[in-house]
Amino acid sequence: MSMFCYQCQETAKGTGCTTTGVCGKDEKVANIQDLLIYVLKGISNVSTRARALGIEKEEVNKFVVDSLFMTITNANFDYDRFVEKIREGLEIRDRLRDDYLKAGGTLPSDLHESVNWKADTAEEFDVKSQTAGILTQENEDVRSLRELTIYGLKGMAAYTEHANNLGYKDDTIHKFIQEALTATTNDNLTVEELINLVNETGKYGVAAMALLDKAHTSTYGNPEITKVNIGVGTNPGILISGHDLRDMEDLLKQTEGTGVDVYTHSEMLPANYYPAFKKYKHFIGNYGNAWWKQKEEFETFNGPVLFTTNCIVPPRKNASYFERVYTTGSSGFTGFKHIPERPEGGQKDFSEIIEQAKKCKPPVEIEKGEITGGFAHNQVLALADKIVDAVKSGAIRKFFVMAGCDGRMKNRAYYTEFASALPEDTVILTAGCAKYRYNKLPLGDINGIPRVLDAGQCNDSYSLAVIALKLKEVFDLKDINELPIAYNIAWYEQKAVIVLLALLYLGVKNIHLGPTLPAFLSPNVGKVLVEKFGIAGIGTVEDDIKLFLNN
């Protein structure tokens, strides 16, 4: 096989992509991403030891989370960017190693080879990438637990980077990420110790999501119940996709008064819920649906598209929008223009995008109406009395957490059918782009409480955990699993993995995960998750609803 990757839900045949990624990455990109992870392991081996001598470098922390983020599914397809990143990583590792040795540190001779490996050219990188991948670990269970940890770290890094971009940092998270990467190179760890490492990853996943929640709400205010316009205006527009709200802020400031409108796309939809962004009159609303429909929707939008993070679908050859797409941050695609990082204390420069937008036609309207969201923890807790009364009176029988990701597979229609078939005395709690499977259905409300409560982006699954913990307190329950809440979660990529690990760390059991279980779970590791946490897949809509309502 020319590559091997099984980190996403759509991996080929449910086992692994071996020639080309279903996501669209070719073998060179897949392998160079593996090599970047290998380099991160070398950096982390050194930084973990250096930290014990009081040596902690901001450039190391930033580089590690940036690099992990770049390897998330659908984030970056630009081979040359990865080559540059690996060169930078080797230089950072060597500077850190020199500082550590000068401070009196020592490096054992049996350290992982990534600590000392040297190369400079892309050709050398390509050769090494053939022996730096997932399958170099032959023990299936060890490989499964290591990759489960690494995929959790990738999701954690994404959330940490967004928080860092807003000036919110927690060095203990960076410390753990690097310690965990180091642990994945330790052949002496037992399976039980690796399971403990997975659990610790969930613990720090909670910390990372809490940090990002603090960063978002402190900077932009608590999300409010908001009716979001899904129609269009008459001005040319810019469509912003991804997750980074700092990029959203920079774009709104720079487009003000230019005659160019701004629309959110996919996971950027929840930006509409924040008070700080509502003051911009040229912020029109949301255009389109989940990420996988972008090929058609970018055509009809007519204006430039800005990717702030992952969820890029490689465009068709000769796609009319190819010259209108820009990337920034950890995202990238060969041929798309990339917007550099913001200078210290400044903003990113989006002037080129704005000037192009002025020359474009307004978006073609593909739908009309509004969708309601903004039910993050602060807003839901403000409704706590009303919700508690509805539960006690029997008006609400059960809550269904249907957070997570959307995707292309036809069997994801299950989630639309599931939401449609739920009894009218049930409420859906959601976050992430999975909501596009049902957030436009006419499901109504219960005593004024909408039957779909959208908390926001995938990272806002933290809000759902906060809500559950608060309800546990209000109902004076000893166990979070005693609440009338069922978990039927869709997943796609590594941010969903860290959300899952965070929920498991918080003690949530009997989570159903679909549309398929992760290929990176070996039979033995899957068995542990089933026995310890009650993890299960999905069945038919009818059977699953009966199962959930009877438990």
Side-chain angles (χ1 to χ4, degrees):
M1 60 185 73
S2 55
M3 60 171 280
F4 185 78
C5 181
Y6 61 179
Q7 70 176 0
C8 85
Q9 186 273 321
E10 290 183 351
T11 195
K13 300 178 182 179
T15 56
C17 296
T18 58
T19 54
T20 301
V22 171
C23 65
K25 65 184 176 186
D26 62 28
E27 63 187 68
K28 286 189 69 175
V29 171
N31 292 332
I32 204 77
Q33 287 185 0
D34 286 344
L35 185 61
L36 180 55
I37 297 297
Y38 172 89
V39 170
L40 295 182
K41 292 176 181 179
I43 293 172
S44 296
N45 266 277
V46 179
S47 66
T48 296
R49 287 167 171 79
R51 200 174 267 108
L53 294 183
I55 301 171
E56 179 158 3
K57 294 184 178 292
E58 177 64 25
E59 71 166 347
V60 172
N61 293 343
K62 178 172 171 43
F63 182 85
V64 171
V65 297
D66 286 352
S67 299
L68 284 168
F69 200 172
M70 284 178 69
T71 67
I72 280 181
T73 303
N74 284 349
N76 201 308
F77 299 79
D78 191 335
Y79 172 84
D80 292 338
R81 287 270 307 284
F82 284 105
V83 169
E84 293 171 7
K85 203 73 174 173
I86 289 170
R87 286 199 183 105
E88 181 186 354
L90 293 175
E91 291 172 0
I92 287 174
R93 181 202 65 186
D94 290 348
R95 286 197 300 270
L96 178 63
R97 186 177 56 197
D98 289 346
D99 289 345
Y100 172 64
L101 294 174
K102 288 176 183 177
T106 58
L107 293 173
S109 59
D110 62 348
L111 277 180
H112 192 257
E113 63 172 6
S114 58
V115 173
N116 296 305
W117 173 72
K118 293 181 181 294
D120 182 62
T121 67
E123 291 75 19
E124 290 175 305
F125 294 168
D126 286 340
V127 171
K128 182 60 181 176
S129 73
Q130 299 298 314
T131 58
I134 297 165
L135 297 180
T136 54
Q137 172 50 245
E138 295 181 2
N139 184 299
E140 185 181 25
D141 296 332
V142 171
R143 180 170 69 236
S144 178
L145 290 166
R146 285 181 176 180
E147 295 307 309
L148 178 55
T149 297
I150 289 171
Y151 301 155
L153 295 178
K154 289 184 180 190
M156 191 190 309
Y159 299 147
T160 301
E161 179 169 294
H162 292 317
N164 291 351
N165 287 344
L166 290 169
Y168 287 78
K169 299 180 181 180
D170 182 344
D171 288 339
T172 65
I173 295 174
H174 291 286
K175 178 175 181 287
F176 173 76
I177 289 174
Q178 292 158 37
E179 288 176 346
L181 284 169
T182 301
T184 64
T185 68
N186 186 347
D187 292 330
N188 295 319
L189 293 183
T190 65
V191 167
E192 184 177 350
E193 288 171 324
L194 287 170
I195 290 172
N196 290 337
L197 179 63
V198 170
N199 188 54
E200 281 289 289
T201 304
K203 172 184 175 181
Y204 283 92
V206 173
M209 286 189 280
L211 180 68
L212 182 54
D213 179 78
K214 181 179 180 181
H216 281 168
T217 57
S218 298
T219 307
Y220 304 118
N222 283 296
E224 302 169 337
I225 299 175
T226 304
K227 292 183 178 180
V228 181
N229 173 43
I230 56 175
V232 300
T234 57
N235 293 329
I238 295 173
L239 189 62
I240 181 169
S241 192
H243 306 73
D244 197 286
L245 296 190
R246 177 70 189 278
D247 289 339
M248 181 76 188
E249 179 184 15
D250 286 356
L251 182 65
L252 285 172
K253 285 181 177 179
Q254 293 173 41
T255 48
E256 194 168 25
T258 63
V260 174
D261 291 336
V262 173
Y263 297 78
T264 56
H265 173 260
S266 191
E267 275 277 66
M268 194 59 82
L269 164 64
N272 290 273
Y273 311 153
Y274 286 91
F277 298 143
K278 292 183 179 183
K279 66 182 180 182
Y280 294 98
K281 294 181 180 179
H282 64 296
F283 184 18
I284 301 302
N286 190 72
Y287 189 89
N289 296 277
W291 60 274
W292 59 278
K293 291 188 176 182
Q294 64 190 246
K295 288 182 179 180
E296 295 76 20
E297 293 171 354
F298 289 0
E299 294 278 3
T300 57
F301 184 75
N302 291 330
V305 178
L306 173 63
F307 276 103
T308 64
T309 64
N310 58 317
C311 298
I312 297 172
V313 177
R316 301 184 185 95
K317 291 182 179 179
N318 303 317
S320 71
Y321 62 83
F322 193 96
E323 299 298 326
R324 299 190 267 114
V325 183
Y326 297 76
T327 61
T328 192
S330 296
S331 64
F333 189 87
T334 303
F336 289 171
K337 294 178 181 178
H338 190 76
I339 305 299
E341 292 300 315
R342 59 181 58 82
E344 187 70 30
Q347 299 179 20
K348 289 184 180 179
D349 183 1
F350 293 132
S351 58
E352 183 177 357
I353 306 177
I354 296 168
E355 289 307 308
Q356 184 180 27
K358 291 177 180 178
K359 302 171 185 176
C360 295
K361 295 179 181 179
V364 172
E365 190 166 75
I366 57 176
E367 57 188 341
K368 294 181 179 180
E370 297 174 327
I371 49 178
T372 302
F375 294 94
H377 59 87
N378 186 73
Q379 183 63 76
V380 172
L381 295 181
L383 300 172
D385 290 344
K386 194 172 185 179
I387 291 172
V388 170
D389 288 344
V391 172
K392 288 182 175 179
S393 70
I396 295 178
R397 182 178 9 166
K398 201 149 198 170
F399 296 92
F400 284 81
V401 173
M402 294 179 67
C405 315
D406 198 9
R408 292 166 284 212
M409 295 177 73
K410 291 182 179 179
N411 57 0
R412 285 182 182 266
Y414 162 92
Y415 294 100
T416 303
E417 295 165 6
F418 186 92
S420 299
L422 282 173
E424 293 182 357
D425 57 358
T426 60
V427 173
I428 296 171
L429 302 173
T430 190
C433 63
K435 61 176 160 276
Y436 283 101
R437 286 286 171 175
Y438 40 79
N439 67 345
K440 298 173 186 177
L441 297 176
L443 297 181
D445 64 83
I446 299 173
N447 298 339
I449 301 170
R451 289 193 57 226
V452 177
L453 301 180
D454 174 23
Q457 297 179 339
C458 52
N459 55 277
D460 291 312
S461 296
Y462 171 76
S463 269
L464 304 183
V466 171
I467 292 166
L469 290 170
K470 183 62 178 179
L471 290 176
K472 169 177 169 281
E473 177 187 325
V474 169
F475 285 110
D476 194 25
L477 301 175
K478 294 181 179 180
D479 189 334
I480 195 172
N481 296 292
E482 295 176 18
L483 286 166
I485 299 178
Y487 294 81
N488 195 9
I489 295 176
W491 80 284
Y492 176 72
E493 41 89 329
Q494 298 76 62
K495 283 179 285 182
V497 173
I498 193 57
V499 170
L500 173 64
L501 296 183
L503 290 174
L504 296 182
Y505 172 75
L506 291 172
V508 177
K509 293 185 177 181
N510 302 318
I511 295 172
H512 286 241
L513 195 63
T516 59
L517 292 176
F520 51 80
L521 296 180
S522 69
N524 287 332
V525 172
K527 183 179 179 183
V528 169
L529 292 178
V530 170
E531 292 177 350
K532 188 173 182 179
F533 299 105
I535 292 289
I538 60 173
T540 67
V541 168
E542 182 180 3
D543 288 346
D544 286 350
I545 288 179
K546 287 180 181 177
L547 176 66
F548 283 125
L549 291 178
N550 290 331
N551 287 340

Short mmCIF file of all heavy atoms in Angstrom, two decimals, residues 108-134:
data_model
loop_
_atom_site.label_atom_id
_atom_site.label_comp_id
_atom_site.label_asym_id
_atom_site.label_seq_id
_atom_site.Cartn_x
_atom_site.Cartn_y
_atom_site.Cartn_z
N PRO A 108 19.07 10.16 27.16
CA PRO A 108 19.45 8.75 27.10
C PRO A 108 19.62 8.28 25.66
O PRO A 108 18.97 8.78 24.74
CB PRO A 108 18.28 8.03 27.78
CG PRO A 108 17.61 9.08 28.61
CD PRO A 108 17.80 10.36 27.89
N SER A 109 20.47 7.32 25.45
CA SER A 109 20.75 6.83 24.11
C SER A 109 19.59 6.05 23.51
O SER A 109 19.52 5.86 22.30
CB SER A 109 22.00 5.94 24.13
OG SER A 109 21.81 4.83 25.01
N ASP A 110 18.68 5.57 24.37
CA ASP A 110 17.57 4.75 23.87
C ASP A 110 16.30 5.55 23.61
O ASP A 110 15.22 4.98 23.49
CB ASP A 110 17.28 3.61 24.84
CG ASP A 110 16.85 4.11 26.23
OD1 ASP A 110 16.99 5.32 26.49
OD2 ASP A 110 16.37 3.28 27.03
N LEU A 111 16.43 6.89 23.52
CA LEU A 111 15.25 7.69 23.21
C LEU A 111 14.74 7.37 21.81
O LEU A 111 15.48 6.87 20.95
CB LEU A 111 15.59 9.18 23.29
CG LEU A 111 15.57 9.83 24.68
CD1 LEU A 111 15.92 11.31 24.56
CD2 LEU A 111 14.21 9.68 25.34
N HIS A 112 13.50 7.70 21.57
CA HIS A 112 12.89 7.48 20.26
C HIS A 112 13.74 8.15 19.17
O HIS A 112 14.27 9.25 19.36
CB HIS A 112 11.47 8.04 20.25
CG HIS A 112 10.66 7.62 19.07
ND1 HIS A 112 10.41 8.44 18.00
CD2 HIS A 112 10.03 6.44 18.79
CE1 HIS A 112 9.64 7.81 17.13
NE2 HIS A 112 9.40 6.59 17.58
N GLU A 113 13.84 7.50 18.03
CA GLU A 113 14.73 8.00 16.97
C GLU A 113 14.32 9.38 16.45
O GLU A 113 15.15 10.10 15.88
CB GLU A 113 14.76 7.02 15.81
CG GLU A 113 13.41 6.82 15.12
CD GLU A 113 13.52 5.99 13.85
OE1 GLU A 113 14.62 5.48 13.57
OE2 GLU A 113 12.50 5.88 13.16
N SER A 114 13.07 9.78 16.69
CA SER A 114 12.62 11.10 16.23
C SER A 114 13.34 12.25 16.92
O SER A 114 13.31 13.38 16.44
CB SER A 114 11.11 11.24 16.46
OG SER A 114 10.80 11.07 17.83
N VAL A 115 14.03 11.95 18.02
CA VAL A 115 14.77 12.99 18.73
C VAL A 115 16.02 13.41 17.95
O VAL A 115 16.44 14.56 18.02
CB VAL A 115 15.17 12.50 20.14
CG1 VAL A 115 16.09 13.50 20.84
CG2 VAL A 115 13.93 12.26 20.99
N ASN A 116 16.58 12.49 17.20
CA ASN A 116 17.86 12.75 16.54
C ASN A 116 17.82 12.68 15.02
O ASN A 116 18.80 13.01 14.36
CB ASN A 116 18.91 11.74 17.05
CG ASN A 116 19.19 11.91 18.54
OD1 ASN A 116 19.52 12.99 19.00
ND2 ASN A 116 19.03 10.83 19.30
N TRP A 117 16.69 12.25 14.45
CA TRP A 117 16.63 12.10 13.00
C TRP A 117 16.88 13.44 12.31
O TRP A 117 16.35 14.48 12.72
CB TRP A 117 15.26 11.55 12.60
CG TRP A 117 15.06 11.54 11.11
CD1 TRP A 117 15.66 10.70 10.21
CD2 TRP A 117 14.22 12.41 10.34
NE1 TRP A 117 15.25 11.00 8.94
CE2 TRP A 117 14.37 12.04 8.98
CE3 TRP A 117 13.38 13.48 10.67
CZ2 TRP A 117 13.69 12.68 7.96
CZ3 TRP A 117 12.69 14.13 9.67
CH2 TRP A 117 12.84 13.73 8.32
N LYS A 118 17.68 13.42 11.25
CA LYS A 118 18.01 14.64 10.52
C LYS A 118 17.75 14.47 9.03
O LYS A 118 17.98 13.39 8.47
CB LYS A 118 19.50 15.01 10.72
CG LYS A 118 19.89 15.40 12.14
CD LYS A 118 21.36 15.76 12.21
CE LYS A 118 21.78 16.14 13.63
NZ LYS A 118 21.12 17.37 14.07
N ALA A 119 17.28 15.52 8.40
CA ALA A 119 17.08 15.57 6.95
C ALA A 119 16.75 17.01 6.60
O ALA A 119 16.44 17.82 7.47
CB ALA A 119 15.96 14.63 6.51
N ASP A 120 16.80 17.32 5.30
CA ASP A 120 16.54 18.71 4.91
C ASP A 120 15.67 18.81 3.66
O ASP A 120 14.89 19.73 3.52
CB ASP A 120 17.85 19.45 4.68
CG ASP A 120 17.63 20.90 4.33
OD1 ASP A 120 17.06 21.64 5.17
OD2 ASP A 120 18.00 21.32 3.21
N THR A 121 15.81 17.88 2.74
CA THR A 121 15.13 18.01 1.47
C THR A 121 13.78 17.29 1.47
O THR A 121 13.56 16.35 2.24
CB THR A 121 15.98 17.44 0.32
OG1 THR A 121 16.09 16.01 0.49
CG2 THR A 121 17.38 18.05 0.33
N ALA A 122 12.91 17.71 0.57
CA ALA A 122 11.60 17.07 0.44
C ALA A 122 11.77 15.61 0.05
O ALA A 122 10.98 14.75 0.48
CB ALA A 122 10.76 17.80 -0.60
N GLU A 123 12.79 15.33 -0.76
CA GLU A 123 13.03 13.95 -1.18
C GLU A 123 13.38 13.07 0.03
O GLU A 123 12.89 11.94 0.16
CB GLU A 123 14.16 13.91 -2.22
CG GLU A 123 13.81 14.51 -3.56
CD GLU A 123 13.77 16.04 -3.54
OE1 GLU A 123 14.36 16.65 -2.60
OE2 GLU A 123 13.16 16.62 -4.45
N GLU A 124 14.23 13.60 0.91
CA GLU A 124 14.57 12.86 2.13
C GLU A 124 13.35 12.68 3.02
O GLU A 124 13.16 11.62 3.64
CB GLU A 124 15.66 13.62 2.90
CG GLU A 124 17.03 13.61 2.24
CD GLU A 124 18.02 14.49 2.98
OE1 GLU A 124 17.71 15.68 3.20
OE2 GLU A 124 19.10 13.98 3.34
N PHE A 125 12.52 13.71 3.08
CA PHE A 125 11.30 13.61 3.88
C PHE A 125 10.39 12.51 3.34
O PHE A 125 9.81 11.73 4.10
CB PHE A 125 10.54 14.94 3.88
CG PHE A 125 11.26 16.06 4.57
CD1 PHE A 125 10.80 17.38 4.43
CD2 PHE A 125 12.38 15.85 5.35
CE1 PHE A 125 11.43 18.42 5.06
CE2 PHE A 125 13.03 16.90 5.99
CZ PHE A 125 12.55 18.18 5.84
N ASP A 126 10.26 12.45 2.00
CA ASP A 126 9.39 11.44 1.39
C ASP A 126 9.88 10.03 1.71
O ASP A 126 9.07 9.13 1.99
CB ASP A 126 9.33 11.64 -0.13
CG ASP A 126 8.50 12.85 -0.53
OD1 ASP A 126 7.66 13.29 0.30
OD2 ASP A 126 8.67 13.35 -1.65
N VAL A 127 11.19 9.85 1.66
CA VAL A 127 11.74 8.52 1.97
C VAL A 127 11.43 8.14 3.41
O VAL A 127 10.97 7.03 3.70
CB VAL A 127 13.26 8.50 1.71
CG1 VAL A 127 13.87 7.19 2.24
CG2 VAL A 127 13.55 8.63 0.22
N LYS A 128 11.69 9.07 4.33
CA LYS A 128 11.46 8.78 5.73
C LYS A 128 9.98 8.57 6.03
O LYS A 128 9.62 7.74 6.90
CB LYS A 128 12.01 9.92 6.61
CG LYS A 128 11.86 9.67 8.11
CD LYS A 128 12.58 8.41 8.54
CE LYS A 128 12.41 8.15 10.03
NZ LYS A 128 13.03 6.87 10.43
N SER A 129 9.13 9.28 5.33
CA SER A 129 7.68 9.18 5.60
C SER A 129 7.15 7.77 5.36
O SER A 129 6.12 7.38 5.91
CB SER A 129 6.91 10.18 4.73
OG SER A 129 6.87 9.77 3.36
N GLN A 130 7.88 6.97 4.57
CA GLN A 130 7.45 5.60 4.29
C GLN A 130 7.57 4.70 5.52
O GLN A 130 6.95 3.64 5.60
CB GLN A 130 8.28 5.02 3.14
CG GLN A 130 8.14 5.77 1.83
CD GLN A 130 6.72 5.76 1.28
OE1 GLN A 130 6.08 4.72 1.25
NE2 GLN A 130 6.24 6.92 0.85
N THR A 131 8.41 5.13 6.48
CA THR A 131 8.62 4.29 7.68
C THR A 131 8.23 5.03 8.96
O THR A 131 8.66 4.66 10.04
CB THR A 131 10.09 3.86 7.77
OG1 THR A 131 10.94 5.03 7.82
CG2 THR A 131 10.48 3.01 6.58
N ALA A 132 7.43 6.08 8.82
CA ALA A 132 7.03 6.87 10.00
C ALA A 132 5.54 6.80 10.26
O ALA A 132 5.03 7.51 11.12
CB ALA A 132 7.46 8.33 9.80
N GLY A 133 4.84 5.93 9.54
CA GLY A 133 3.39 5.91 9.62
C GLY A 133 2.83 5.04 10.72
O GLY A 133 3.55 4.47 11.56
N ILE A 134 1.53 4.91 10.70
CA ILE A 134 0.77 4.22 11.74
C ILE A 134 1.16 2.75 11.87
O ILE A 134 1.27 2.21 12.97
CB ILE A 134 -0.74 4.33 11.42
CG1 ILE A 134 -1.18 5.79 11.44
CG2 ILE A 134 -1.58 3.50 12.38
CD1 ILE A 134 -2.53 6.03 10.78
#
